Amino acid sequence: MIKKLTAVTIAAVLLISLLSGVSSAARSGFDPKKVGGKVVLTSFSDAVTLIPLRANDQASNDIIGMVFDSLVRKDFYGQPIPGMAERWTYDAKTLSYTFYLRKGMKFHDGKPVTANDVKFSFDMYTHPKTLNTYKADFTDIQSVTVVNDLTVKFTLKKKNVFFLTNAANSGAILPKHLFPRGIDDYNADNSYFSRHPVGTGPFKFKEWRTDERVVVSAFNDYWNGRPYLDEVITRILPDNNVESINLIKGDVDFVQVISPRTVADVEKSSNLKTVVYDRGRFDYIGWNNDNPLFQDKKVRQAMNYAMDRQAVVSKIMLGRGYLGTGPFHPKLPQENKNVKPYPLDLNKAAQLLAEAGWKKGSDGILEKDGKKFEIEIAYNNGNVTRPKVAQILAQNLKKLGIKASVRGYEWSLFLDKQQKGTLDMYVLAWGGYDGNVEHYGILHSSAIPDKNGDGGNNAWHVHYSKVDQLLEAYLQEEDSSKRNKIYQELHAFLADEAIAIFTHHPKLTAGMNKNLLGVRISLSSPYFNIEDWYWKK
Amino acid sequence: MIPLLFIISIVSFLLMTMAPGDPTAMFVNPESSKGAEQDLSAIRDKLGVDKPIYVQYAKWIKMIVLDGDFGYSFQDGRPVLEKIVERIPATLLLMGTAIFISFLIAIPIGIYSAVRQYSPLDNTFTFLSFLGISIPSFFFAIMMMLVFSLKLGWFPASNMRGDGGNLPTALDILYHLILPASVLAFGLVAQYSRFMRSSMLEVIHQDYIRTARAKGVTEGKVVFKHAFRNALLPIITLIGLQLPHLFGGALIIEQIFAWPGMGRLAIGSIFIRDYQVIMGVTMVTAVLVVIGNLLADILYAVVDPRIQYGKT
């Protein structure tokens, strides 16, 4: 099976390289007439550091994604395709991948890229002292050895079916010659490199003015041909409304997400267009499953029957969204199509609560063992959608005799409480995944955070041996269709257990200049093909 | 002065650390699937925020007093002082312009209002100043942005610089400066003109003004030579007190107009609980308040011969 897969991969890779003419000058379909111009993007917050995998914030990672490149890239659907490595082989017996680098690749400072740089980069990411934020993705790497200048071999400790799309994709190639002190330079918080990065990506770093903007410009020697745009400017703007004002005024060319209520204003402008796109994300109302209130499955199901998902999608999202059934996006094969969203059914909810032992007291509030059913639904201040979602649930819960209130918390405080598991209920989302989605980190019992919020991201405190088994089996299954079946099973199980209220998967709306063409937004990134964006001439 | 700063530092440190929220929360983002699986306890240990508050404070004050250092930002590890110094030009430009223009406008208004007290124009100015004082600046800023930037398209809505258009840098910055500086100036003119008016009114009713008039001095000379110079004294104090604003920036206006100054640094660091930066900004502002007051006192003695320090 493995051999067959490898053979198919090599064949596919060869075919692709034949089609593209193996020339490093330009990608297939490159049209020199599209070259030129600059585009202005926005970000709510300034970048923090531009050293790959040191940052964990979106702003930094967006810039890093333009400046750096890796051995393996992902196609629109998240499948691995050749990046800086023109091909690779896998040997199942020794658990090793051999990558063959393209000839003639250069860093932005003109120095050639060699296998030594690849080894150096992964040595940084796996170093025992590394401050790599995503080091968990790299723990399966046993060793990286240089075979020759253009060949490098990775040996894994154990099978990892996501190696190509995970570590090999996110492990950006660093210029060894700019890290003379090795790991100390990589870990350094305030280095020259962290604010003046040098990579091999389609854009080279040009300028970073704190809290104003970051500018990158086209790298002419990019192995896949230069990007069409001469410059990409990311302006730091404080919020959604200001972004929209700048977009309408023409000072900004592309805004990732326009809030539903400003869509109409943007659409009215004759210079702009909007594009509705899917993002791999799920929105939910969560709780701590260890909270005595929610330990009874019937109560959790009652909460689900009390939620009006349709109102969220049609009234709040104005139709731009899918009803939620679980933590898998409907556009992904991991979703189980047989799982239907819980309908709004207050009678059923009342019945389930009664079966769970909750009886109405003299004041009309549900009681059990002398304790009243009182909950607070939390959201983060500044978010415009979440308070409305919380209100919809709170109104229905009140009809059931539950004393429900809604409260906004400042973001940092909200995160703190959520991670520590002290919020009754909270409205949140989780996203940015594609076909390589894996939920080990948020659903496995080993990832449940302790009282200080340490130890993992399973803040909903889900712990079932069945869930653990499915999550583990998924990571070991090489056959993707079998793998997807495992998650479909997980999906059905989670829905029945009602571990949370999965409300919806929003469709997002991007706003952009009418003349900006070639934009393709993938499930995991709005800048998926930014090197192919161009201006209508 | 030193004990005062010391107390300020203790109070702000206590307020900051006892406020809910955790500086390490920014290292986890439950909304992102590329969730960092970081060892938060290791980060807490590195930042020292798991220690008791008095230990944290002792460490901080030791760093300030012995090393003369504000430490490093929790967020990106850059020296706090570097982050502050980097913001000063932008803030100085914005606040300096706003304060300077405000005095230029407010002083004539104040004089006129005092001299022609209860005249229709005085009433108009009074009305406008109350408007200026009572409109929340964030609301006024957004209104100005909507009208002058979005509807009329005269001025850019955000940031301090454009994206390399045809304007030379200085003009480009000036072009971006107009809107936020005007919003700030509107509020300041309102305050300063009221101040000038009352100061002037007080002087105008003094005996020596009546004497001057009685001597037959022209009205212009009375107003500008006799009254105005004396009425300026309190204004000088006011100028001294603007010093912290000059460097401390305007939190709300800078945030709304995405102006890369100290105010934005302060807000940003408060949101993510970057203790070192919060303390750095607070202390710089505190020092400026103290110096501003001192300066005002000294200036007072310089311009007013009646006031002398150290002699009883």
Side-chain angles (χ1 to χ4, degrees):
Chain A
M1 189 63 214
I2 297 297
K3 269 190 187 150
K4 198 172 153 195
L5 261 183
T6 319
V8 170
T9 316
I10 294 175
V13 168
L14 280 176
L15 190 67
I16 290 167
S17 20
L18 279 174
L19 285 175
S20 61
V22 206
S23 137
S24 69
R27 55 196 172 276
S28 62
F30 183 87
D31 180 356
K33 274 181 264 166
K34 293 177 179 171
V35 166
K38 54 187 159 196
V39 77
V40 183
L41 312 174
T42 63
S43 166
F44 286 165
S45 51
D46 200 2
V48 174
T49 174
L50 298 180
I51 299 181
L53 303 176
R54 284 292 314 279
N56 70 341
D57 62 300
Q58 194 60 45
S60 305
N61 282 328
D62 282 345
I63 307 289
I64 289 170
M66 296 181 215
V67 173
F68 290 90
D69 201 6
S70 51
L71 296 172
V72 177
R73 307 178 83 185
K74 288 198 276 190
D75 70 5
F76 191 75
Y77 305 98
Q79 296 305 305
I81 53 169
M84 290 173 69
E86 60 183 356
R87 64 196 173 89
W88 55 82
T89 55
Y90 177 59
D91 180 359
K93 221 188 286 167
T94 57
L95 294 173
S96 62
Y97 284 89
T98 308
F99 291 93
Y100 300 91
L101 302 183
R102 292 170 197 276
K103 283 197 194 88
M105 286 187 299
K106 284 178 189 162
F107 283 104
H108 299 153
D109 62 359
K111 295 272 185 347
V113 179
T114 71
N116 286 311
D117 294 302
V118 177
K119 176 178 165 48
F120 173 79
S121 309
F122 283 83
D123 283 351
M124 293 301 101
Y125 302 143
T126 56
H127 195 282
K129 282 200 294 182
T130 190
L131 294 181
N132 174 1
T133 312
Y134 306 99
K135 65 182 171 208
D137 293 347
F138 294 81
T139 46
D140 288 346
I141 299 175
Q142 170 84 45
S143 65
V144 182
T145 43
V146 172
V147 178
N148 63 42
D149 255 11
L150 293 176
T151 314
V152 63
K153 189 170 153 189
F154 286 67
T155 308
L156 304 188
K157 288 175 193 159
K158 60 177 196 238
K159 194 163 72 177
N160 182 332
V161 298
F162 291 109
F163 174 73
L164 287 176
T165 49
N166 212 338
N169 171 258
S170 64
I173 304 307
L174 304 168
K176 186 183 179 188
H177 60 279
L178 293 178
F179 290 78
R181 295 184 303 132
I183 191 70
D184 290 338
D185 280 333
Y186 178 74
N187 281 348
D189 269 333
N190 184 33
S191 63
Y192 184 78
F193 193 91
S194 71
R195 292 179 72 87
H196 302 82
V198 173
T200 59
F203 292 94
K204 57 185 180 193
F205 173 81
K206 186 178 173 195
E207 178 192 57
W208 177 2
R209 286 183 183 275
T210 306
D211 247 357
E212 278 189 73
R213 62 179 174 186
V214 181
V215 184
V216 295
S217 61
F219 178 44
N220 287 322
D221 291 329
Y222 184 54
W223 63 264
N224 202 16
R226 62 157 289 171
Y228 291 135
L229 296 167
D230 286 334
E231 256 181 23
V232 175
I233 299 163
T234 304
R235 287 176 60 176
I236 324 294
L237 296 175
D239 62 47
N240 227 269
N241 294 322
V242 175
E243 269 183 350
S244 299
I245 289 178
N246 277 282
L247 181 68
I248 294 168
K249 194 173 176 301
D251 288 342
V252 156
D253 301 313
F254 179 91
V255 172
Q256 282 186 36
V257 182
I258 307 175
S259 65
R261 53 178 182 166
T262 40
V263 165
D265 288 330
V266 172
E267 279 172 347
K268 247 188 285 169
S269 169
S270 56
N271 300 319
L272 302 175
K273 61 181 173 191
T274 57
V275 171
V276 178
Y277 63 99
D278 290 313
R279 179 155 173 82
R281 130 174 184 180
F282 61 85
D283 286 45
Y284 66 100
I285 299 177
W287 51 73
N288 179 344
N289 281 278
D290 282 337
N291 180 345
L293 271 181
F294 298 114
Q295 274 172 352
D296 192 328
K297 177 175 162 182
K298 286 183 173 144
V299 174
R300 298 195 300 265
Q301 288 179 333
M303 296 297 119
N304 269 282
Y305 281 114
M307 183 66 205
D308 190 352
R309 291 171 172 76
Q310 190 58 53
V312 174
V313 170
S314 48
K315 293 197 183 128
I316 303 177
M317 304 307 298
L318 305 176
R320 295 171 195 231
Y322 308 91
L323 299 177
T325 60
F328 302 103
H329 194 275
K331 284 284 168 74
L332 290 177
Q334 283 89 346
E335 195 210 32
N336 188 337
K337 302 283 173 218
N338 297 323
V339 178
K340 298 291 171 224
Y342 280 88
L344 171 65
D345 188 341
L346 289 181
N347 293 332
K348 178 98 186 176
Q351 185 197 328
L352 283 166
L353 284 168
E355 284 171 23
W358 290 94
K359 302 271 178 302
K360 274 196 181 166
S362 52
D363 53 356
I365 306 284
L366 290 180
E367 284 181 1
K368 185 182 173 183
D369 306 331
K371 230 185 136 241
K372 293 201 184 300
F373 203 137
E374 256 182 272
I375 46 174
E376 179 185 272
I377 310 170
Y379 61 89
N380 56 303
N381 282 335
N383 190 299
V384 290
T385 315
R386 291 181 191 161
K388 295 181 198 157
V389 174
Q391 284 293 358
I392 287 181
L393 179 64
Q395 279 164 13
N396 288 340
L397 292 183
K398 277 178 202 156
K399 287 181 201 156
L400 291 171
I402 294 172
K403 206 173 166 193
S405 57
V406 167
R407 178 169 169 194
Y409 288 91
E410 184 245 329
W411 183 232
S412 164
L413 189 55
F414 180 80
L415 286 187
D416 190 32
K417 286 178 172 290
Q418 186 261 347
Q419 183 73 10
K420 286 177 180 159
T422 56
L423 294 172
D424 292 347
M425 273 189 174
Y426 53 89
V427 192
L428 199 60
W430 193 89
Y433 54 84
D434 54 20
N436 303 299
V437 59
E438 62 100 352
H439 283 334
Y440 190 96
I442 55 169
L443 286 171
H444 197 273
S445 62
S446 66
I448 295 178
D450 61 20
K451 276 191 187 116
N452 295 323
D454 295 341
N457 291 331
N458 182 357
W460 30 29
H461 290 242
V462 169
H463 43 81
Y464 299 93
S465 56
K466 177 166 182 183
V467 171
D468 286 357
Q469 279 162 19
L470 290 172
L471 290 167
E472 286 157 20
Y474 180 79
L475 289 179
Q476 293 295 314
E477 181 53 62
E478 280 155 22
D479 182 333
S480 65
S481 67
K482 281 188 195 161
R483 201 161 63 215
N484 293 337
K485 288 242 164 61
I486 296 175
Y487 263 23
Q488 287 171 7
E489 193 185 339
L490 176 67
H491 184 183
F493 181 78
L494 296 174
D496 180 58
E497 281 294 325
I499 58 155
I501 302 172
F502 293 98
T503 52
H504 65 295
H505 306 273
K507 285 184 191 174
L508 303 180
T509 308
M512 67 193 88
N513 191 299
K514 198 178 59 189
N515 296 323
L516 184 62
L517 303 177
V519 179
R520 284 184 84 200
I521 299 176
S522 76
L523 275 176
S524 58
S525 171
Y527 307 132
F528 165 72
N529 72 333
I530 191 161
E531 60 268 35
D532 281 331
W533 292 13
Y534 64 97
W535 287 103
K536 184 179 172 184
K537 292 279 186 270
Chain B
M1 201 170 131
I2 301 293
L4 182 65
L5 289 174
F6 191 66
I7 293 168
I8 292 174
S9 78
I10 291 179
V11 172
S12 14
F13 202 90
L14 279 179
L15 274 177
M16 177 183 78
T17 43
M18 287 162 76
D22 181 344
T24 54
M26 66 180 165
F27 292 97
V28 212
N29 185 355
E31 287 188 308
S32 166
S33 62
K34 282 216 86 179
E37 284 148 37
Q38 292 231 15
D39 187 358
L40 288 187
S41 52
I43 295 172
R44 263 183 217 124
D45 188 48
K46 180 184 154 209
L47 302 180
V49 292
D50 51 349
K51 307 265 180 339
I53 291 178
Y54 62 90
V55 175
Q56 290 185 46
Y57 180 75
K59 211 174 130 201
W60 182 82
I61 196 82
K62 184 171 156 255
M63 183 173 71
I64 297 281
V65 176
L66 296 184
D67 311 334
D69 188 358
F70 279 115
Y72 297 87
S73 159
F74 285 175
Q75 186 193 24
D76 56 11
R78 297 175 67 209
V80 171
L81 203 59
E82 186 184 307
K83 289 185 90 155
I84 291 177
V85 167
E86 179 183 65
R87 307 293 182 128
I88 286 180
T91 284
L92 210 55
L93 178 68
L94 176 64
M95 298 308 295
T97 311
I99 292 174
F100 181 72
I101 292 178
S102 310
F103 275 114
L104 278 190
I105 300 175
I107 289 177
I109 291 181
I111 295 173
Y112 180 88
S113 295
V115 175
R116 301 261 186 280
Q117 202 184 359
Y118 305 130
S119 66
L121 203 52
D122 172 38
N123 287 336
T124 313
F125 285 139
T126 304
F127 174 75
L128 284 176
S129 345
F130 280 116
L131 202 67
I133 291 168
S134 39
I135 288 187
S137 61
F138 69 89
F139 174 77
F140 186 58
I142 290 170
M143 285 299 119
M144 292 283 280
M145 201 191 263
L146 286 179
V147 173
F148 289 101
S149 190
L150 195 59
K151 293 279 174 252
L152 300 172
W154 291 353
F155 304 110
S158 312
N159 295 123
M160 188 168 95
R161 253 173 271 257
D163 302 305
N166 306 320
L167 288 172
T169 314
L171 278 180
D172 186 41
I173 292 180
L174 188 68
Y175 182 47
H176 283 77
L177 177 66
I178 294 173
L179 216 48
S182 317
V183 172
L184 276 170
F186 184 60
L188 292 175
V189 166
Q191 291 173 37
Y192 297 168
S193 63
R194 296 308 292 171
F195 209 83
M196 188 68 215
R197 181 179 182 269
S198 55
S199 167
M200 193 74 182
L201 272 176
E202 202 177 305
V203 174
I204 267 176
H205 295 294
Q206 296 282 335
D207 288 343
Y208 63 86
I209 298 290
R210 200 177 309 131
T211 314
R213 285 203 178 113
K215 283 199 302 188
V217 180
T218 59
E219 184 61 21
K221 242 184 177 173
V222 170
V223 170
F224 287 102
K225 200 165 169 207
H226 295 80
F228 175 62
R229 289 177 92 175
N230 286 301
L232 257 188
L233 293 176
I235 297 292
I236 284 165
T237 325
L238 193 62
I239 293 178
L241 294 177
Q242 296 312 308
L243 192 70
H245 292 286
L246 204 56
F247 289 90
L251 268 71
I252 293 163
I253 300 298
E254 284 186 7
Q255 182 68 11
I256 291 175
F257 288 99
W259 193 265
M262 288 274 278
R264 263 192 114 193
L265 178 66
I267 287 198
S269 55
I270 290 169
F271 278 155
I272 59 169
R273 306 285 188 275
D274 193 338
Y275 289 170
Q276 303 280 23
V277 178
I278 301 176
M279 281 311 284
V281 173
T282 311
M283 288 321 288
V284 167
T285 317
V287 168
L288 289 168
V289 170
V290 174
I291 294 179
N293 275 291
L294 187 69
L295 216 64
D297 286 349
I298 294 173
L299 274 176
Y300 219 75
V302 171
V303 290
D304 190 344
R306 288 170 300 184
I307 297 170
Q308 284 189 328
Y309 296 117
K311 293 174 194 168
T312 39

